[in-house]
Amino acid sequence: MTSSASAQPPSPPAPATDAGALGERVGVAVGWGGGTVIKPPFSPAASPVIDAAMVRALELARAAGAAGEVPVGAVVLSLEGAVLAEAANAREAEHDPTAHAEIRALRAAGAALGDSHLDGCTLVVTLEPCTMCAGAIVLARVARLVLGAWEPRTGACGSVRDVVRDARANHQVEVRAGLRAQESQDLLTASFADRR
Protein backbone atom coordinates (compact mmCIF):
# COMPACT_ATOMS: atom_id res chain seq x y z
CA MET A 1 0.00 0.00 0.00
CA THR A 2 1.39 3.38 -0.95
CA SER A 3 0.49 6.65 0.62
CA SER A 4 -0.27 9.74 -1.35
CA ALA A 5 1.35 13.08 -0.64
CA SER A 6 -2.02 14.51 0.36
CA ALA A 7 -2.32 11.95 3.17
CA GLN A 8 0.71 13.48 4.91
CA PRO A 9 0.15 16.28 7.42
CA PRO A 10 1.33 19.66 6.20
CA SER A 11 4.62 20.94 7.53
CA PRO A 12 4.22 23.82 9.92
CA PRO A 13 5.40 27.18 8.67
CA ALA A 14 8.75 28.29 10.02
CA PRO A 15 8.67 31.04 12.62
CA ALA A 16 9.51 34.50 11.41
CA THR A 17 13.13 35.51 11.63
CA ASP A 18 12.31 38.54 13.75
CA ALA A 19 14.53 38.92 16.80
CA GLY A 20 12.53 37.48 19.63
CA ALA A 21 10.31 35.26 17.48
CA LEU A 22 9.02 32.16 19.20
CA GLY A 23 12.54 31.25 20.30
CA GLU A 24 12.22 33.97 22.93
CA ARG A 25 8.41 33.85 22.83
CA VAL A 26 7.86 37.47 21.78
CA GLY A 27 7.66 39.31 18.50
CA VAL A 28 6.18 37.94 15.31
CA ALA A 29 5.37 34.26 14.89
CA VAL A 30 3.30 32.19 12.52
CA GLY A 31 1.39 29.32 14.10
CA TRP A 32 0.58 25.90 12.72
CA GLY A 33 -2.70 27.11 11.30
CA GLY A 34 -1.32 30.34 9.86
CA GLY A 35 -2.24 32.42 12.90
CA THR A 36 -1.61 36.10 13.28
CA VAL A 37 1.20 37.86 15.10
CA ILE A 38 2.03 37.62 18.76
CA LYS A 39 2.27 41.19 19.96
CA PRO A 40 5.25 42.41 22.00
CA PRO A 41 5.36 41.31 25.63
CA PHE A 42 2.66 42.81 27.75
CA SER A 43 4.04 45.10 30.44
CA PRO A 44 2.24 45.79 33.72
CA ALA A 45 2.18 49.51 32.88
CA ALA A 46 0.28 48.87 29.63
CA SER A 47 -2.98 48.13 31.42
CA PRO A 48 -3.40 48.34 35.19
CA VAL A 49 -6.71 46.43 34.93
CA ILE A 50 -5.13 43.51 33.10
CA ASP A 51 -2.09 43.59 35.38
CA ALA A 52 -4.38 43.44 38.43
CA ALA A 53 -6.13 40.44 36.86
CA MET A 54 -2.76 38.70 36.41
CA VAL A 55 -1.82 39.45 40.02
CA ARG A 56 -5.10 37.81 41.06
CA ALA A 57 -4.49 34.85 38.72
CA LEU A 58 -1.07 34.38 40.35
CA GLU A 59 -2.71 34.40 43.81
CA LEU A 60 -5.15 31.73 42.64
CA ALA A 61 -2.28 29.72 41.16
CA ARG A 62 -0.33 29.86 44.44
CA ALA A 63 -3.37 28.60 46.35
CA ALA A 64 -3.86 25.79 43.83
CA GLY A 65 -0.20 24.78 44.17
CA ALA A 66 -0.50 24.74 47.96
CA ALA A 67 -3.49 22.40 47.56
CA GLY A 68 -1.47 19.97 45.43
CA GLU A 69 -2.67 21.15 42.03
CA VAL A 70 -0.56 22.39 39.13
CA PRO A 71 -0.36 26.11 39.97
CA VAL A 72 -2.38 27.83 37.25
CA GLY A 73 -4.87 30.63 37.75
CA ALA A 74 -7.22 32.40 35.35
CA VAL A 75 -9.42 35.52 35.39
CA VAL A 76 -12.04 36.54 32.82
CA LEU A 77 -12.59 40.27 32.29
CA SER A 78 -15.61 41.82 30.61
CA LEU A 79 -15.28 44.23 27.70
CA GLU A 80 -15.40 47.02 30.30
CA GLY A 81 -12.65 45.42 32.40
CA ALA A 82 -14.82 44.10 35.22
CA VAL A 83 -13.95 40.69 36.68
CA LEU A 84 -16.59 38.21 35.50
CA ALA A 85 -15.00 35.03 36.85
CA GLU A 86 -11.83 33.55 38.26
CA ALA A 87 -10.61 30.04 38.87
CA ALA A 88 -7.60 27.87 39.56
CA ASN A 89 -6.72 24.34 38.55
CA ALA A 90 -8.80 21.78 40.47
CA ARG A 91 -8.17 18.50 38.64
CA GLU A 92 -7.16 16.59 41.76
CA ALA A 93 -9.79 18.12 44.05
CA GLU A 94 -12.63 17.56 41.59
CA HIS A 95 -11.29 14.28 40.16
CA ASP A 96 -11.90 15.84 36.76
CA PRO A 97 -9.30 15.92 33.98
CA THR A 98 -11.04 18.95 32.46
CA ALA A 99 -10.93 21.06 35.63
CA HIS A 100 -8.22 23.36 34.29
CA ALA A 101 -8.27 26.97 35.49
CA GLU A 102 -9.21 28.28 32.04
CA ILE A 103 -12.16 25.88 31.58
CA ARG A 104 -13.47 26.60 35.06
CA ALA A 105 -13.16 30.37 34.57
CA LEU A 106 -14.85 30.26 31.15
CA ARG A 107 -17.75 28.22 32.57
CA ALA A 108 -18.22 30.65 35.44
CA ALA A 109 -18.04 33.68 33.10
CA GLY A 110 -20.62 32.11 30.79
CA ALA A 111 -22.91 31.52 33.76
CA ALA A 112 -22.41 35.12 34.94
CA LEU A 113 -23.31 36.49 31.51
CA GLY A 114 -26.00 33.92 30.77
CA ASP A 115 -24.33 33.19 27.44
CA SER A 116 -21.81 30.70 26.11
CA HIS A 117 -20.23 33.40 23.95
CA LEU A 118 -17.88 35.72 25.80
CA ASP A 119 -17.71 38.35 23.06
CA GLY A 120 -15.25 41.12 23.86
CA CYS A 121 -13.93 39.38 26.97
CA THR A 122 -10.29 38.94 27.95
CA LEU A 123 -8.93 35.77 29.54
CA VAL A 124 -5.87 36.37 31.72
CA VAL A 125 -4.00 33.19 32.64
CA THR A 126 -0.67 32.43 34.26
CA LEU A 127 0.37 29.69 31.81
CA GLU A 128 -0.19 29.20 28.08
CA PRO A 129 -3.33 27.09 27.65
CA CYS A 130 -3.27 23.48 26.44
CA THR A 131 -5.13 22.24 23.36
CA MET A 132 -8.34 21.51 25.29
CA CYS A 133 -8.42 24.95 26.86
CA ALA A 134 -7.45 26.67 23.60
CA GLY A 135 -10.39 24.98 21.89
CA ALA A 136 -12.72 26.18 24.63
CA ILE A 137 -11.34 29.72 24.30
CA VAL A 138 -12.15 29.70 20.58
CA LEU A 139 -15.63 28.23 21.14
CA ALA A 140 -16.34 30.85 23.80
CA ARG A 141 -15.41 33.59 21.31
CA VAL A 142 -12.99 35.21 23.76
CA ALA A 143 -11.56 38.37 22.16
CA ARG A 144 -8.09 38.28 23.68
CA LEU A 145 -5.85 36.04 25.71
CA VAL A 146 -3.17 37.46 27.99
CA LEU A 147 -0.77 34.84 29.30
CA GLY A 148 2.18 34.82 31.63
CA ALA A 149 4.56 31.95 30.91
CA TRP A 150 4.80 29.90 27.73
CA GLU A 151 4.29 26.12 27.94
CA PRO A 152 6.94 24.65 25.63
CA ARG A 153 5.65 21.05 25.83
CA THR A 154 1.86 21.31 25.54
CA GLY A 155 1.09 24.94 24.75
CA ALA A 156 -1.56 25.54 22.11
CA CYS A 157 -1.60 29.32 21.80
CA GLY A 158 1.60 29.96 19.87
CA SER A 159 4.40 27.75 21.15
CA VAL A 160 3.79 24.10 20.20
CA ARG A 161 0.43 24.64 18.47
CA ASP A 162 -1.64 27.69 17.68
CA VAL A 163 -5.27 26.65 18.05
CA VAL A 164 -6.55 30.11 19.03
CA ARG A 165 -5.27 31.85 15.89
CA ASP A 166 -5.81 29.09 13.34
CA ALA A 167 -7.09 30.85 10.22
CA ARG A 168 -9.22 27.80 9.37
CA ALA A 169 -11.40 28.31 12.46
CA ASN A 170 -14.42 30.60 12.56
CA HIS A 171 -12.91 32.74 15.35
CA GLN A 172 -9.38 33.89 16.11
CA VAL A 173 -8.13 35.27 19.39
CA GLU A 174 -5.63 38.07 19.95
CA VAL A 175 -2.73 36.73 22.02
CA ARG A 176 -0.55 38.84 24.31
CA ALA A 177 2.18 37.06 26.20
CA GLY A 178 4.80 37.74 28.82
CA LEU A 179 2.82 39.57 31.51
CA ARG A 180 4.56 38.69 34.77
CA ALA A 181 6.08 35.75 32.93
CA GLN A 182 8.96 35.28 35.35
CA GLU A 183 6.62 35.19 38.34
CA SER A 184 4.47 32.59 36.59
CA GLN A 185 7.49 30.51 35.61
CA ASP A 186 9.03 30.71 39.09
CA LEU A 187 5.76 29.52 40.63
CA LEU A 188 5.63 26.50 38.31
CA THR A 189 9.32 25.69 38.78
CA ALA A 190 9.02 25.81 42.58
CA SER A 191 5.90 23.66 42.55
CA PHE A 192 7.46 20.92 40.46
CA ALA A 193 10.71 21.05 42.44
CA ASP A 194 8.70 20.46 45.64
CA ARG A 195 7.10 17.36 44.08
CA ARG A 196 10.43 15.75 43.27
Side-chain angles (χ1 to χ4, degrees):
M1 177 192 265
T2 61
S3 63
S4 68
S6 63
Q8 299 300 318
S11 297
T17 57
D18 213 36
L22 279 180
E24 292 178 24
R25 306 297 192 250
V26 296
V28 178
V30 177
W32 275 72
T36 57
V37 298
I38 295 172
K39 297 194 177 190
F42 208 86
S43 74
S47 172
V49 171
I50 291 177
D51 185 55
M54 182 60 82
V55 168
R56 178 61 182 146
L58 285 162
E59 291 170 358
L60 293 164
R62 280 187 199 90
E69 303 283 350
V70 174
V72 177
V75 175
V76 179
L77 300 174
S78 71
L79 181 61
E80 297 78 23
V83 174
L84 290 175
E86 58 183 37
N89 272 1
R91 289 181 48 162
E92 303 306 320
E94 295 179 7
H95 310 291
D96 179 358
T98 69
H100 289 200
E102 303 93 321
I103 298 289
R104 297 177 73 231
L106 292 173
R107 286 178 180 157
L113 290 176
D115 196 341
S116 64
H117 289 173
L118 305 179
D119 297 315
C121 291
T122 298
L123 175 63
V124 179
V125 63
T126 58
L127 181 65
E128 179 186 10
C130 69
T131 303
M132 173 185 68
C133 293
I137 291 165
V138 171
L139 292 173
R141 307 286 197 276
V142 169
R144 76 199 47 80
L145 169 67
V146 177
L147 62 96
W150 290 99
E151 174 37 278
R153 293 182 318 135
T154 62
C157 298
S159 62
V160 179
R161 294 174 189 81
D162 199 352
V163 173
V164 297
R165 292 172 299 161
D166 190 327
R168 298 168 293 185
N170 62 352
H171 178 75
Q172 289 78 40
V173 179
E174 175 188 342
V175 176
R176 298 295 300 263
L179 180 59
R180 298 186 178 269
Q182 193 60 55
E183 291 174 64
S184 297
Q185 188 60 55
D186 291 348
L187 184 58
L188 289 158
T189 301
S191 175
F192 287 109
D194 289 345
R195 292 178 187 205
R196 292 184 186 136

